[in-house]
Amino acid sequence: MAVSADLAKLLDREYEDKTLDEIVKAPVEALAGVSAEDAELLKKAFHIKTVGDLGRNKFFRAATALVDLTDSKK
């Protein structure tokens, strides 16, 4: 089953027409609102270079899981 999603609000304009595989391999500054300076801080603190690295980071995943669990209680 094909799935489509409008990712324009999540990405910088130059990445809007990329495939999901390309987006996951893109630098984190491909995400709307993430600057080159933010990306450098993520790289220094967590060794995150790509959107995929960010999404797979154990600390960000743990925080997301905790928030989701808290929100599901409401």
Side-chain angles (χ1 to χ4, degrees):
M1 173 168 58
V3 176
S4 67
D6 182 9
L7 303 176
K9 291 184 180 179
L10 300 175
L11 302 169
D12 280 349
R13 183 162 285 149
E14 69 181 277
Y15 292 93
E16 290 177 3
D17 63 343
K18 303 292 184 191
T19 67
L20 286 176
D21 287 335
E22 291 172 318
I23 293 167
V24 168
K25 293 175 185 173
V28 289
E29 55 263 36
L31 296 170
V34 178
S35 69
E37 292 82 16
D38 297 333
E40 187 59 33
L41 291 172
L42 285 168
K43 183 178 175 184
K44 284 181 182 179
F46 298 105
H47 308 288
I48 291 171
K49 298 176 188 169
T50 67
V51 172
D53 292 341
L54 182 63
R56 292 181 188 102
N57 180 276
K58 67 180 181 179
F59 301 111
F60 291 96
R61 290 179 73 125
T64 299
L66 292 167
V67 169
D68 289 345
L69 288 169
T70 301
D71 290 348
S72 71
K73 292 176 21 179
K74 294 179 182 178

